[in-house]
Amino acid sequence: MAGKPKLYYFDGRGKMESVRWLLAAAGVEFEEELLETREQYEKLLQDGALMFQQVPMVEIDGMKLVQTRAILNYLAATHNLYGRDLKERALIDMYVEGTTDLMQLILMFPFLSAEDKEKQHALIVQKATNRYFPAYEKVLRDHGQDYLVGNQFSWADIHLFEAILMVEEKKCDVLSEFPQLQMFKARISNMPRIKKFLEPGSQRKPIPDDKYVETVRRVLQMYYNVKASV
Amino acid sequence: MPKAIRSSLMAGKPKLYYFNGRGRMESVRWLLAAAGIEFVEEFLETREQYEKLLQDGALLFQQVPMVEIDGMKMVQTRAILGYIAAKHNLYGKNLKERALIDMYVEGTRDLMDLIRVHHKFSPEEQEKNLALINERATARYFPVYEKVLKDHGTEFLVGNQLTWADVQLIEAILMVEEKVSTILSKFPLLQDFKTRICNIPTIKKFLQPGSQRKPPPDESYVVTANRVFNRK
């Protein structure tokens, strides 16, 4: 039965947020089971529902998919957001890996000590403005099209948009030297499904707070200290 | 230029830009070798080589691995591997097989990442990391692949033919064995898998001395990487 995909994760962004973005952009309704207790997680383990004992996990089309990359690949391909041929897919993959690396720096942020947060903040801004945003600015400038790949909306655009918003939450004027990206951001924001996902009441999750960190640590019994990337 | 000559020039060998060592490029060497694709390599030895690549705009995110293939300068290991796998019929027959392959390679990737950075640690940290590698291999990753083979009783992980998932698993098994030689002692099906896959002609050839397979990282590899990236 082609039911709605069901997402198993914490009530927060983490690695699952990119999946929520992709589903929303594709116009696919989804359900969520939010992990709050250790017992919920242990039940999933006992049921053999988590291939490598980890979340994210997404129940979709009769599969229990794990590993964020595998989940996103499948969703992109099944919703025509993965390009028209191998070369377009290669470009999308390269671009998405770049934004993944950038977002990974932000993902670990809430778990850092106060001192490390300061270092990490500087690193995020530096990498965004010196490494990642210039690359995407050039792509858009060079071909002058609305979207990153093949003149059509793809997963690469959604992922870049998500990354831009996340970095802006750290430094609101981070796009000041990237006019193409500013126009890109405005264009994508105006797409109906994206607009809807950006409105209050959607399944988009807020910036992680202490409660989120506490929940993750409790459910995963992950009490060690995460080090900054520097 | 006649079209035939232009085509044959374009369909040249892939060219790999990386250090003369395993690192993140090794999985690419494995996959190309398994697919029977000849490739050439440019080894980064000096800071100047790296800076030239940067100035030429050859590295999209200023990083290696980079592979020149089919007119593209591809970066990001997963993107490179995905392209090679799809082009050479090692990525399954349909989306569901691809999903399985993706899950399996992400698992082996996570395991291999523990080993890839091992040489960077202090002796004390290495001891802890070794215990972690052992634990993850025997409690998290290898049981999954053992079960996959057991459940559908075929020679390969996905769809009854060699795929990227098998190539990456054999690479992971050999890497872990270099650290913990008895790691497969409780995994009889993986032992059989290892024997079978190592006997595939292209892989057998890659495992022989003189192939482009690289040895485990040593002191000079670390020194070169630090020099090229200006790291202390």
Side-chain angles (χ1 to χ4, degrees):
Chain A
M1 206 173 95
K4 296 180 189 174
K6 188 168 177 182
L7 280 49
Y8 291 74
Y9 202 66
F10 314 101
D11 186 6
R13 289 183 182 175
K15 290 189 188 236
M16 191 62 101
E17 193 71 352
S18 295
V19 177
R20 298 181 184 108
W21 270 101
L22 190 51
L23 286 168
V28 178
E29 286 184 25
F30 58 93
E31 294 171 355
E32 302 195 71
E33 178 152 323
L34 303 173
L35 299 187
E36 255 128 40
T37 67
R38 176 75 187 170
E39 289 67 38
Q40 271 175 291
Y41 173 62
E42 284 183 353
K43 180 166 195 308
L44 285 172
L45 288 178
Q46 277 149 30
D47 291 346
L50 307 179
M51 181 178 285
F52 301 116
Q53 305 151 0
Q54 298 163 316
V55 286
M57 189 272 277
V58 175
E59 275 174 352
I60 185 166
D61 297 340
M63 299 181 287
K64 288 179 168 52
L65 286 185
V66 296
Q67 293 289 352
T68 318
R69 209 50 175 78
I71 296 165
L72 292 168
N73 283 4
Y74 182 77
L75 292 174
T78 47
H79 295 287
N80 203 23
L81 292 164
Y82 215 163
R84 289 181 213 79
D85 57 31
L86 278 194
K87 285 205 168 177
E88 288 192 353
R89 222 167 81 195
L91 288 174
I92 290 168
D93 276 344
M94 284 195 282
Y95 299 158
V96 162
E97 286 296 297
T99 39
T100 298
D101 284 350
L102 177 55
M103 290 199 280
Q104 178 62 32
L105 298 176
I106 302 174
L107 228 130
M108 59 165 75
F109 192 85
F111 295 89
L112 300 173
S113 67
E115 187 194 313
D116 279 353
K117 273 183 179 160
E118 218 180 291
K119 287 186 206 163
Q120 191 80 346
H121 188 280
L123 184 71
I124 289 163
V125 171
Q126 186 250 315
K127 289 281 191 229
T129 49
N130 293 343
R131 173 170 290 184
Y132 295 106
F133 289 168
Y136 300 108
E137 179 82 4
K138 184 177 193 296
V139 168
L140 292 169
R141 191 176 58 237
D142 283 354
H143 63 45
Q145 291 163 4
D146 283 359
Y147 306 109
L148 286 170
V149 179
N151 210 11
Q152 81 179 17
F153 185 57
S154 78
W155 171 22
D157 302 299
I158 302 163
H159 216 244
L160 174 58
F161 184 72
E162 183 191 357
I164 287 171
L165 294 186
M166 280 176 80
V167 181
E168 279 186 332
E169 282 168 350
K170 294 272 171 265
K171 185 173 194 283
C172 58
D173 63 347
V174 75
L175 285 192
S176 59
E177 288 172 19
F178 303 103
Q180 295 289 331
L181 290 180
Q182 289 175 36
M183 292 189 287
F184 172 84
K185 180 191 163 192
R187 275 196 305 274
I188 304 297
S189 306
N190 274 318
M191 297 177 75
R193 293 172 183 158
I194 305 280
K195 209 168 193 169
K196 192 168 166 209
F197 192 61
L198 288 169
E199 278 161 14
S202 81
Q203 282 159 298
R204 186 184 181 209
K205 300 295 175 274
I207 300 179
D209 56 12
D210 287 338
K211 177 165 181 274
Y212 169 74
V213 172
E214 211 183 279
T215 304
V216 174
R217 287 199 187 284
R218 180 178 65 245
V219 171
L220 297 183
Q221 283 175 2
M222 188 185 95
Y223 294 110
Y224 56 82
N225 288 323
V226 178
K227 283 184 244 168
S229 308
V230 194
Chain B
M1 184 186 287
K3 205 169 182 182
I5 296 178
R6 196 189 317 136
S7 306
S8 75
L9 279 179
M10 268 184 68
K13 297 179 187 174
K15 187 169 178 182
L16 280 50
Y17 291 74
Y18 202 67
F19 310 100
N20 187 1
R22 287 184 182 176
R24 292 175 191 265
M25 190 62 101
E26 193 71 352
S27 296
V28 177
R29 298 182 185 108
W30 266 98
L31 194 54
L32 286 168
I37 306 300
E38 286 184 26
F39 57 93
V40 297
E41 302 194 74
E42 177 155 321
F43 295 126
L44 297 188
E45 254 126 40
T46 67
R47 177 80 191 164
E48 289 69 36
Q49 271 173 294
Y50 174 58
E51 284 183 350
K52 181 164 195 309
L53 285 172
L54 289 175
Q55 278 150 32
D56 292 347
L59 307 178
L60 182 65
F61 302 118
Q62 307 156 353
Q63 298 164 315
V64 286
M66 189 272 277
V67 176
E68 277 173 353
I69 183 169
D70 297 340
M72 299 182 287
K73 289 179 166 53
M74 285 200 73
V75 296
Q76 294 287 352
T77 318
R78 269 196 204 83
I80 296 165
L81 291 168
Y83 181 75
I84 295 168
K87 188 182 173 198
H88 297 290
N89 201 24
L90 292 165
Y91 215 160
K93 292 184 224 57
N94 54 47
L95 285 188
K96 286 206 170 180
E97 287 195 353
R98 229 166 79 189
L100 287 174
I101 291 165
D102 278 341
M103 284 196 282
Y104 299 157
V105 299
E106 289 295 298
T108 42
R109 169 66 38 208
D110 284 348
L111 177 57
M112 289 198 284
D113 275 352
L114 294 177
I115 302 172
R116 187 173 48 79
V117 297
H118 185 78
H119 65 279
K120 299 185 188 183
F121 295 147
S122 69
E124 193 189 287
E125 286 170 336
Q126 281 193 1
E127 215 182 294
K128 287 188 198 161
N129 198 44
L130 209 52
L132 182 65
I133 290 165
N134 197 351
E135 196 261 337
R136 289 276 189 255
T138 52
R140 177 172 289 186
Y141 296 107
F142 288 169
V144 171
Y145 304 111
E146 181 84 1
K147 182 176 193 296
V148 167
L149 291 171
K150 183 169 181 210
D151 284 353
H152 59 54
T154 63
E155 291 185 38
F156 306 103
L157 287 173
V158 178
N160 215 7
Q161 67 183 40
L162 184 76
T163 68
W164 172 20
D166 302 299
V167 180
Q168 201 152 287
L169 176 56
I170 190 68
E171 182 191 359
I173 286 171
L174 295 180
M175 274 180 88
V176 181
E177 279 186 334
E178 282 170 351
K179 295 267 172 277
V180 184
S181 61
T182 55
I183 201 79
L184 287 192
S185 57
K186 301 201 174 143
F187 302 103
L189 296 180
L190 287 180
Q191 291 174 34
D192 291 343
F193 173 86
K194 178 190 163 191
T195 308
R196 270 198 314 275
I197 302 299
C198 289
N199 271 317
I200 292 174
T202 49
I203 294 182
K204 197 170 193 167
K205 192 169 167 210
F206 190 61
L207 289 170
Q208 277 158 4
S211 83
Q212 283 157 301
R213 188 183 182 210
K214 301 294 175 277
D218 61 10
E219 187 60 38
S220 87
Y221 173 77
V222 176
V223 166
T224 304
N226 286 344
R227 178 175 66 238
V228 169
F229 287 141
N230 262 355
R231 283 199 296 247
K232 299 286 165 281

